[in-house]
PDB file of all heavy atoms in Angstrom:
ATOM      1  N   PRO A  60       5.879 -14.788  -8.995  1.00 92.00           N
ATOM      2  CA  PRO A  60       5.357 -16.163  -9.111  1.00 92.00           C
ATOM      3  C   PRO A  60       3.873 -16.194  -8.739  1.00 92.00           C
ATOM      4  O   PRO A  60       3.465 -15.600  -7.736  1.00 92.00           O
ATOM      5  CB  PRO A  60       6.194 -16.953  -8.109  1.00 92.00           C
ATOM      6  CG  PRO A  60       7.405 -16.116  -7.856  1.00 92.00           C
ATOM      7  CD  PRO A  60       6.965 -14.695  -8.012  1.00 92.00           C
ATOM      8  N   LYS A  61       3.074 -16.884  -9.552  1.00 93.00           N
ATOM      9  CA  LYS A  61       1.641 -16.983  -9.304  1.00 93.00           C
ATOM     10  C   LYS A  61       1.326 -18.353  -8.691  1.00 93.00           C
ATOM     11  O   LYS A  61       1.814 -19.377  -9.148  1.00 93.00           O
ATOM     12  CB  LYS A  61       0.848 -16.804 -10.602  1.00 93.00           C
ATOM     13  CG  LYS A  61       1.244 -15.592 -11.452  1.00 93.00           C
ATOM     14  CD  LYS A  61       1.034 -14.271 -10.748  1.00 93.00           C
ATOM     15  CE  LYS A  61       1.217 -13.080 -11.675  1.00 93.00           C
ATOM     16  NZ  LYS A  61       2.582 -12.934 -12.218  1.00 93.00           N
ATOM     17  N   THR A  62       0.482 -18.334  -7.651  1.00 95.00           N
ATOM     18  CA  THR A  62       0.122 -19.581  -6.972  1.00 95.00           C
ATOM     19  C   THR A  62      -1.184 -20.166  -7.482  1.00 95.00           C
ATOM     20  O   THR A  62      -1.466 -21.340  -7.249  1.00 95.00           O
ATOM     21  CB  THR A  62      -0.022 -19.331  -5.455  1.00 95.00           C
ATOM     22  OG1 THR A  62      -1.184 -18.512  -5.223  1.00 95.00           O
ATOM     23  CG2 THR A  62       1.218 -18.648  -4.891  1.00 95.00           C
ATOM     24  N   GLY A  63      -2.007 -19.349  -8.120  1.00 96.00           N
ATOM     25  CA  GLY A  63      -3.342 -19.789  -8.529  1.00 96.00           C
ATOM     26  C   GLY A  63      -4.382 -19.574  -7.460  1.00 96.00           C
ATOM     27  O   GLY A  63      -5.587 -19.746  -7.710  1.00 96.00           O
ATOM     28  N   ASP A  64      -3.949 -19.206  -6.254  1.00 97.00           N
ATOM     29  CA  ASP A  64      -4.873 -18.875  -5.153  1.00 97.00           C
ATOM     30  C   ASP A  64      -5.188 -17.378  -5.261  1.00 97.00           C
ATOM     31  O   ASP A  64      -4.292 -16.550  -5.080  1.00 97.00           O
ATOM     32  CB  ASP A  64      -4.208 -19.187  -3.811  1.00 97.00           C
ATOM     33  CG  ASP A  64      -5.110 -18.884  -2.616  1.00 97.00           C
ATOM     34  OD1 ASP A  64      -5.906 -17.921  -2.680  1.00 97.00           O
ATOM     35  OD2 ASP A  64      -5.009 -19.609  -1.611  1.00 97.00           O
ATOM     36  N   PRO A  65      -6.443 -16.996  -5.554  1.00 97.00           N
ATOM     37  CA  PRO A  65      -6.753 -15.579  -5.766  1.00 97.00           C
ATOM     38  C   PRO A  65      -6.366 -14.693  -4.591  1.00 97.00           C
ATOM     39  O   PRO A  65      -5.838 -13.593  -4.789  1.00 97.00           O
ATOM     40  CB  PRO A  65      -8.275 -15.574  -5.981  1.00 97.00           C
ATOM     41  CG  PRO A  65      -8.601 -16.939  -6.449  1.00 97.00           C
ATOM     42  CD  PRO A  65      -7.620 -17.843  -5.758  1.00 97.00           C
ATOM     43  N   ASP A  66      -6.620 -15.152  -3.371  1.00 98.00           N
ATOM     44  CA  ASP A  66      -6.348 -14.316  -2.204  1.00 98.00           C
ATOM     45  C   ASP A  66      -4.858 -14.095  -2.006  1.00 98.00           C
ATOM     46  O   ASP A  66      -4.424 -12.982  -1.664  1.00 98.00           O
ATOM     47  CB  ASP A  66      -6.979 -14.962  -0.957  1.00 98.00           C
ATOM     48  CG  ASP A  66      -8.486 -15.147  -1.119  1.00 98.00           C
ATOM     49  OD1 ASP A  66      -9.222 -14.156  -0.999  1.00 98.00           O
ATOM     50  OD2 ASP A  66      -8.918 -16.276  -1.406  1.00 98.00           O
ATOM     51  N   ASN A  67      -4.063 -15.145  -2.229  1.00 97.00           N
ATOM     52  CA  ASN A  67      -2.613 -14.997  -2.097  1.00 97.00           C
ATOM     53  C   ASN A  67      -2.031 -14.137  -3.215  1.00 97.00           C
ATOM     54  O   ASN A  67      -1.199 -13.254  -2.964  1.00 97.00           O
ATOM     55  CB  ASN A  67      -1.944 -16.368  -2.097  1.00 97.00           C
ATOM     56  CG  ASN A  67      -1.941 -16.999  -0.733  1.00 97.00           C
ATOM     57  OD1 ASN A  67      -2.982 -17.062  -0.085  1.00 97.00           O
ATOM     58  ND2 ASN A  67      -0.790 -17.474  -0.278  1.00 97.00           N
ATOM     59  N   ASP A  68      -2.454 -14.398  -4.442  1.00 97.00           N
ATOM     60  CA  ASP A  68      -1.894 -13.645  -5.568  1.00 97.00           C
ATOM     61  C   ASP A  68      -2.327 -12.182  -5.521  1.00 97.00           C
ATOM     62  O   ASP A  68      -1.542 -11.289  -5.871  1.00 97.00           O
ATOM     63  CB  ASP A  68      -2.308 -14.288  -6.893  1.00 97.00           C
ATOM     64  CG  ASP A  68      -1.628 -15.634  -7.118  1.00 97.00           C
ATOM     65  OD1 ASP A  68      -0.656 -15.935  -6.387  1.00 97.00           O
ATOM     66  OD2 ASP A  68      -2.059 -16.373  -8.016  1.00 97.00           O
ATOM     67  N   TYR A  69      -3.544 -11.935  -5.086  1.00 97.00           N
ATOM     68  CA  TYR A  69      -3.996 -10.550  -4.915  1.00 97.00           C
ATOM     69  C   TYR A  69      -3.143  -9.842  -3.875  1.00 97.00           C
ATOM     70  O   TYR A  69      -2.667  -8.715  -4.089  1.00 97.00           O
ATOM     71  CB  TYR A  69      -5.466 -10.546  -4.486  1.00 97.00           C
ATOM     72  CG  TYR A  69      -6.002  -9.201  -4.062  1.00 97.00           C
ATOM     73  CD1 TYR A  69      -6.266  -8.198  -4.995  1.00 97.00           C
ATOM     74  CD2 TYR A  69      -6.266  -8.927  -2.719  1.00 97.00           C
ATOM     75  CE1 TYR A  69      -6.765  -6.957  -4.603  1.00 97.00           C
ATOM     76  CE2 TYR A  69      -6.772  -7.695  -2.325  1.00 97.00           C
ATOM     77  CZ  TYR A  69      -7.023  -6.718  -3.268  1.00 97.00           C
ATOM     78  OH  TYR A  69      -7.523  -5.498  -2.880  1.00 97.00           O
ATOM     79  N   SER A  70      -2.913 -10.503  -2.747  1.00 98.00           N
ATOM     80  CA  SER A  70      -2.138  -9.895  -1.664  1.00 98.00           C
ATOM     81  C   SER A  70      -0.711  -9.606  -2.118  1.00 98.00           C
ATOM     82  O   SER A  70      -0.173  -8.514  -1.873  1.00 98.00           O
ATOM     83  CB  SER A  70      -2.127 -10.812  -0.437  1.00 98.00           C
ATOM     84  OG  SER A  70      -3.439 -11.032   0.040  1.00 98.00           O
ATOM     85  N   SER A  71      -0.090 -10.573  -2.788  1.00 97.00           N
ATOM     86  CA  SER A  71       1.298 -10.385  -3.236  1.00 97.00           C
ATOM     87  C   SER A  71       1.401  -9.256  -4.251  1.00 97.00           C
ATOM     88  O   SER A  71       2.325  -8.432  -4.191  1.00 97.00           O
ATOM     89  CB  SER A  71       1.826 -11.684  -3.845  1.00 97.00           C
ATOM     90  OG  SER A  71       1.887 -12.709  -2.881  1.00 97.00           O
TER      91      SER A  71
END
Side-chain angles (χ1 to χ4, degrees):
K61 311 298 189 296
T62 69
D64 181 326
D66 302 284
N67 276 50
D68 290 346
Y69 171 73
S70 299
S71 296

